[in-house]
Amino acid sequence: MQTTEITRQSGSGDRYEVRAVEQHWQERWDLQGIYHAEMSDKPKYYCLEQFPYPSGHLHMGHVRVFTLGDVVARYRRMRGYSVLHPMGWDAFGMPAENAAIKSGIPPRVSTLANIEYMKKQMQDMGLSFDWRREVTTSEPDYYRFTQELFLLFFSRGLAYRRDGAVNWCPSCETVLANEQVEEGQCWRCDSVVIKRDLTQWYFRITDYADRLLDDLDDLNWPNEIKAQQAHWIGRSEGAEIVFSVPSLGESIRVFTTRPDTLYGATYVVLAPEHPLVEPLLTENAQRDQVRQFVAEERTRSDIERTSETSEKRGMFTGSYAVHPLTGEPIPIWVANYVLVDYGTGAVMGVPAHDQRDFMYATKYGLPIRTAIRPENDTTASDDRAYTGPGILVNSDSFNGMDNSDAKRAIAELLETKQLGVRKVTYRMRDWLISRQRYWGAPIPIVYCDACGVVPVPREQLPVMLPDNVQFTGEGGSPLAGAHDWVNTACPQCGAGARRETDTMDTFVDSSWYYFRYTSPGDVKQPFDSVKANYWMPVDEYVGGKEHAVLHMLYSRFFNKVLFDAGWIAYQEPFDHLLVQGMVVYGGSKMSKSKGNTVSPETIMAQWGADATRLFMLFAAPPDKDFEWSDQGVEGTYRFLQRVFRLVTRVHNSRSDSDRGSLERVRRARARAVQKVTDDLGERRAFNTAVSTLMEFTNTLYADGQGVSESELVQAKEALVLLMAPFAPHLADELWHQLGYDGSVHEAPWPSYDPGWLVEQEVEIAIQVNGKVRGRLVVSKEATMDELTALALAHDQIVAQVAGRDVVKVVPIPGRLVNVVVR
């Protein structure tokens, strides 16, 4: 079908049929493969949007993030880059398994059906993805390599198994990593998270804590995102101090960032889950009450227990520890505000210099001993802890020492006495990857009575998910019931063995998918290192800030492990991060439960993909939330029809140009190219770029008839080229209307003459005796004599000086002319 037939066959003659044009160009792009990425001698550019979970339908948040990435990818292609712009599916996860429990449809069947539907939605948007590189994390040709990466971590001592109290979501019936607990609730279903004792698999991410923290300085990311990661890693410098427990022949190790307050320690507190709690209760007459307290607190989430608003509760164990420097006995308590997996699971209580300890000691009548006073202040407050700097008191030989010096000196003394050691700790804990679900990558481990924990050999991968699984939604992993699958042979000795029935956290799948895009057809390895080192790191990563700690931190960890293993040549996966805001409607985030969703399909069917994209870009800066408006997308639709009429209908046959019109058109063209280029480059100010296109269009309507035909065509060409990243279908249609055979998306980005950015004229004020009486637009090169003559000839000035004597005229080039009269 010819383009003229498409645009005119069913229109009124002054508008184009949006969906017909868009479908035509989508088919043509796909047929010609113009978005296929290849290694070449061009500079590379890897543009990536966070891949979606195939829930069934795209929502407006998806539309926004994919539009932002698509604009960047199209712009970089036109700037001469070889652009990799892939898409895939983060396809494992609980929703598909929960759906199987309700409907009986196997997760793989529903997942692939959802992918097919959502892929069609993306294609209808006209997104410039290289679909040859599509990956699906739930397919065996992907998760076999997720399993291989697990084996790499295992071989390097970074994957291990241990017992411990873990976060448990009773609704999802699975374990959650610390990062997946948000304000005490499951990140996915908002159920209150409790603690359970389980044997689980972990990745040793804490081994990389320093590098993950230090390398944040080199990232071109928003400061807010870097701050969130730094806070989560939570590096603290201090000392680990030993409090001996003579009654048990054991010791309690306590980490503190304030060893300078050690002489103010009057009690020790253990977490309810601490392994010494039960042994300490043997001589306590109230041990049953303490056990009841421990059981109650273990069911509460970490957030609940440590919140500033929650009650700090505790009980005395009946046992005492020995203060490492004074030798005095101090009571050992168990309290809810201490967490077993933070620090050592024990803290020293210093109520005079920690407000939480002060409140706890006041509540339970524990001693409060001052160890630091403000300099030149001999009084201490009785109603709150003092946490500032000062001079040590009641601290033996350290009395009178500045507390900053005492931190080092006391730590050194503890090391000398072998009662402590200087240490760095982290808020971040190792990454718990075990999940008691079916729809995830099986952990490639078997358990043999003779050989113990045995990794599945690489050549036996993938460990396939079995089909004969019953989805009941009741307790444990569904894989445990697939006895034919669980029972296997040990890879080492051949004897009977049992498979691990937990699957991996889905964030493991998404922590390396961007590598797979670089060589998706590779059947021998997760990715080709040569190709990965060509394309990586990702130049522009587009996604939501909600993944700042989860996905983004895990991906950085994976990247560093692969770097250390020699698989890649760079230490960070994402160079620049573009974080998009939410799409809201009626003042709140769109959601089905609120009934305030808008269907992308409905909007695109009515107004077209280009108009929908353009409104998304124009409504707000990319990092800000914006309010959806049907009127807004209708407005961008009208603008696109106006551009269509300008390019196809506004003509003239002039061979020359009016000077004023020519200057305005050329200046508007140069200004538009410069502004849009800057906005799509480092500024990422897509909304102001669209505004510039609208201004340029207005200028061509106003002055297009005053310039020659060739001049107008050049201006139209520049407009269409600038429109291409934003409204790709219309831009390609208009490019062909202008007589070009190739795609506008393969054309070079327009350039401009910087000379036209310099204003040739300037407006100056004309004053009479210091008061402004008129204004003039003059050449910037006008001489003082010319300014004087022009001012005296101005109609308003002639009227002002009539019948009066002109004493003198003072011209100030570029600013004003002052006429002095009497």
Side-chain angles (χ1 to χ4, degrees), residues 11-156:
S12 63
D14 62 351
R15 65 178 58 241
Y16 71 102
E17 291 297 323
V18 173
R19 293 309 289 164
V21 167
E22 292 179 349
Q23 290 169 10
H24 170 80
W25 288 108
Q26 289 162 12
E27 293 169 1
R28 184 159 177 171
W29 296 334
D30 184 56
L31 181 65
Q32 296 178 344
I34 68 171
Y35 304 130
H36 292 174
E38 305 294 348
M39 296 169 62
S40 71
D41 56 1
K42 295 179 181 180
K44 72 91 182 178
Y45 197 88
Y46 190 171
C47 180
L48 183 63
E49 298 94 87
Q50 293 172 357
F51 64 169
Y53 176 78
S55 58
H57 294 79
L58 295 180
H59 54 66
M60 281 300 179
H62 288 128
V63 174
R64 190 181 194 195
V65 68
F66 299 148
T67 296
L68 291 171
D70 196 57
V71 169
V72 173
R74 291 181 181 280
Y75 167 70
R76 291 292 174 175
R77 284 192 194 93
M78 296 177 73
R79 293 304 302 264
Y81 289 84
S82 179
V83 174
L84 174 58
H85 188 210
M87 182 46 63
W89 311 95
D90 190 11
F92 274 138
M94 287 182 286
E97 187 167 340
N98 291 339
I101 294 170
K102 294 178 181 179
S103 66
I105 300 174
R108 186 171 186 268
V109 173
S110 61
T111 296
L112 294 180
N114 289 347
I115 287 173
E116 182 180 6
Y117 190 89
M118 293 174 70
K119 183 175 180 180
K120 178 62 168 59
Q121 287 182 294
M122 290 183 182
Q123 292 169 332
D124 287 345
M125 287 176 62
L127 301 169
S128 60
F129 295 137
D130 183 351
W131 284 108
R132 301 174 307 162
R133 297 174 180 268
E134 180 181 8
V135 300
T136 302
T137 62
S138 61
E139 289 297 283
D141 62 358
Y142 184 92
Y143 71 72
R144 67 167 291 184
F145 295 121
T146 300
Q147 293 170 342
E148 183 173 333
L149 291 173
F150 176 93
L151 297 180
L152 172 70
F153 280 53
F154 185 82
S155 69
R156 298 179 69 83

Side-chain angles (χ1 to χ4, degrees), residues 188-207:
R188 185 180 295 279
C189 72
D190 295 332
S191 295
V192 174
V193 174
I194 61 175
K195 291 287 187 179
R196 286 184 64 173
D197 290 324
L198 291 172
T199 302
Q200 303 285 282
W201 283 95
Y202 295 80
F203 280 162
R204 211 179 296 274
I205 191 173
T206 52
D207 281 8

Side-chain angles (χ1 to χ4, degrees), residues 340-644:
V340 71
D341 57 358
Y342 187 74
T344 64
V347 300
M348 64 180 192
V350 187
H353 305 295
D354 182 279
Q355 187 60 27
R356 182 188 59 185
D357 293 347
F358 178 85
M359 294 171 64
Y360 189 81
T362 301
K363 177 177 179 178
Y364 290 104
L366 295 167
I368 299 175
R369 179 182 300 139
T370 300
I372 298 173
R373 290 190 187 278
E375 193 170 5
N376 301 322
D377 185 354
T378 59
T379 62
S381 172
D382 292 331
D383 59 353
R384 62 185 178 277
Y386 176 69
T387 59
I391 303 300
L392 264 66
V393 297
N394 302 320
S395 300
D396 200 21
S397 62
F398 299 99
N399 287 340
M401 183 179 290
D402 182 88
N403 79 295
S404 60
D405 296 329
K407 288 182 180 180
R408 174 185 51 79
I410 291 177
E412 289 177 350
L413 177 63
L414 290 167
E415 288 182 323
T416 301
K417 291 177 172 290
Q418 296 186 337
L419 293 172
V421 61
R422 278 173 284 191
K423 193 173 183 179
V424 175
T425 65
Y426 302 90
R427 178 179 180 270
M428 178 175 67
R429 313 264 44 94
D430 280 341
W431 177 8
L432 194 163
I433 67 160
S434 292
R435 297 294 180 269
Q436 291 68 47
R437 305 298 297 209
Y438 167 83
W439 195 231
I443 296 175
I445 292 289
V446 299
Y447 303 103
C448 174
D449 292 339
C451 304
V453 178
V454 182
V456 175
R458 182 178 182 274
E459 60 271 15
Q460 294 183 19
L461 299 180
V463 176
M464 296 279 288
L465 285 168
D467 295 327
N468 59 332
V469 173
Q470 297 297 315
F471 297 100
T472 64
E474 297 178 359
S477 170
L479 290 174
H483 301 295
D484 292 344
W485 180 85
V486 172
N487 297 314
T488 186
C490 173
Q492 289 186 0
C493 70
R498 303 169 308 283
R499 292 194 187 279
E500 170 62 69
T501 58
D502 286 352
T503 55
M504 285 185 249
D505 180 7
T506 57
F507 281 102
V508 176
D509 310 318
S510 60
S511 292
W512 74 278
Y513 78 106
Y514 43 90
F515 291 113
R516 187 64 180 168
Y517 283 140
T518 65
S519 48
D522 200 319
V523 298
K524 297 181 179 180
Q525 56 193 342
F527 56 88
D528 183 314
S529 292
V530 173
K531 293 179 180 178
N533 286 327
Y534 171 82
W535 288 112
M536 293 288 292
V538 173
D539 296 281
E540 186 82 71
Y541 198 32
V542 187
K545 64 182 67 177
E546 66 272 16
H547 296 300
V549 171
L550 292 162
H551 164 62
M552 303 294 290
L553 185 63
Y554 294 154
S555 296
R556 295 183 61 224
F557 167 51
F558 258 67
N559 198 103
K560 293 181 186 301
V561 173
L562 294 174
F563 173 83
D564 291 349
W567 288 26
I568 54 174
Y570 44 87
Q571 295 214 42
E572 290 289 340
F574 313 122
D575 180 43
H576 189 276
L577 181 62
L578 178 60
V579 177
Q580 97 282 359
M582 295 188 301
V583 183
V584 300
Y585 194 30
S588 60
K589 179 181 177 181
M590 287 187 180
S591 71
K592 291 181 180 178
S593 62
K594 295 178 181 177
N596 66 339
T597 58
V598 175
S599 166
E601 291 169 296
T602 301
I603 295 299
M604 288 192 294
Q606 183 174 8
W607 305 113
D610 282 351
T612 305
R613 291 165 56 106
L614 202 64
F615 173 63
M616 288 276 187
L617 298 164
F618 180 57
D623 60 333
K624 304 298 183 184
D625 296 348
F626 84 91
E627 178 79 20
W628 177 262
S629 165
D630 290 348
Q631 292 75 24
V633 72
E634 182 182 357
T636 54
Y637 167 83
R638 290 198 302 268
F639 167 68
L640 293 177
Q641 294 290 354
R642 193 163 184 258
V643 171
F644 171 75

Side-chain angles (χ1 to χ4, degrees), residues 783-793 809-811 817 819:
T783 66
M784 295 177 70
D785 288 342
E786 289 172 332
L787 291 174
T788 299
L790 289 168
L792 292 175
V809 179
V810 183
V817 177
V819 180

